Amino acid sequence: MVETTVILCRTGNENLMSTTALGASPRRLARNVVLTTVVVALLAAVFFGGSALWQKQFGPSQSSAADCRQAQKVIDTAQTIPAGKAARDASYKAYRAEWSKIDDGYLQGNIANYVYGAYELAEGRNLEQTPAEFAEMVELANSHCEQTIVMPAHPPVATP
């Protein structure tokens, strides 16, 4: 806050008078804070309300029926991953070839997450995915397809 003082002198009299600070008074500052908060809240409401309406109107991207069938085929194939490393590597290359036929990138990502988990388990590693995360992944994949994609839960890793 910048403070200035104006000195007024009268002839023959040494009366000095100072003025208040130039700048925001506490009352004006409080009003500006309140107005700024209201404007930010309104802008946030418009943004989030608009986003919600957009999602309601247009929803997530819709995959073609062919993409959804291809996704289900990839998932079904991931149910039987070979145990041997060489066979598993060959299976993975075949999976990648089938997976690349899915055009919808969002669906492709969810399918890749599912199959990644299946291969992790096939290699004897623990899956770092909670049941809630798995359910969310299945829900996201199904939000792109009109028919339901069936993703069986991953079996737990067999302890040697």
Side-chain angles (χ1 to χ4, degrees):
M1 186 157 112
V2 178
E3 198 170 307
T4 60
T5 304
V6 177
I7 301 175
L8 300 175
C9 295
R10 295 189 180 174
T11 50
N13 193 352
E14 289 291 320
N15 273 341
L16 298 176
M17 184 173 105
S18 72
T19 62
T20 60
L22 292 177
S25 67
R27 187 174 181 185
R28 185 182 299 166
L29 182 62
R31 184 192 68 190
N32 288 343
V33 168
V34 168
L35 287 175
T36 301
T37 303
V38 168
V39 167
V40 168
L42 285 173
L43 287 174
V46 167
F47 175 76
F48 289 115
S51 295
L53 288 174
W54 181 271
Q55 283 288 31
K56 184 178 179 184
Q57 176 67 29
F58 298 108
S61 68
Q62 287 298 303
S63 301
S64 67
D67 274 354
C68 294
R69 283 191 302 273
Q70 185 66 27
Q72 188 64 61
K73 179 180 174 186
V74 168
I75 290 168
D76 292 344
T77 304
Q79 301 309 306
T80 54
I81 297 174
K85 180 159 175 45
R88 193 170 49 246
D89 289 346
S91 169
Y92 185 78
K93 286 180 183 176
Y95 146 71
R96 292 295 293 184
E98 292 298 316
W99 174 81
S100 67
K101 294 177 184 176
I102 301 171
D103 290 329
D104 185 338
Y106 294 110
L107 178 61
Q108 205 177 38
N110 291 311
I111 301 305
N113 286 338
Y114 180 84
V115 175
Y116 171 78
Y119 275 93
E120 286 289 298
L121 292 172
E123 292 178 7
R125 296 191 198 115
N126 284 322
L127 191 59
E128 295 181 12
Q129 188 177 44
T130 66
E133 291 170 336
F134 182 82
E136 182 181 359
M137 178 186 62
V138 172
E139 182 180 332
L140 285 172
N142 281 320
S143 71
H144 295 279
C145 293
E146 285 188 19
Q147 76 264 17
T148 302
I149 294 176
V150 179
M151 291 186 185
H154 291 301
V157 174
T159 53

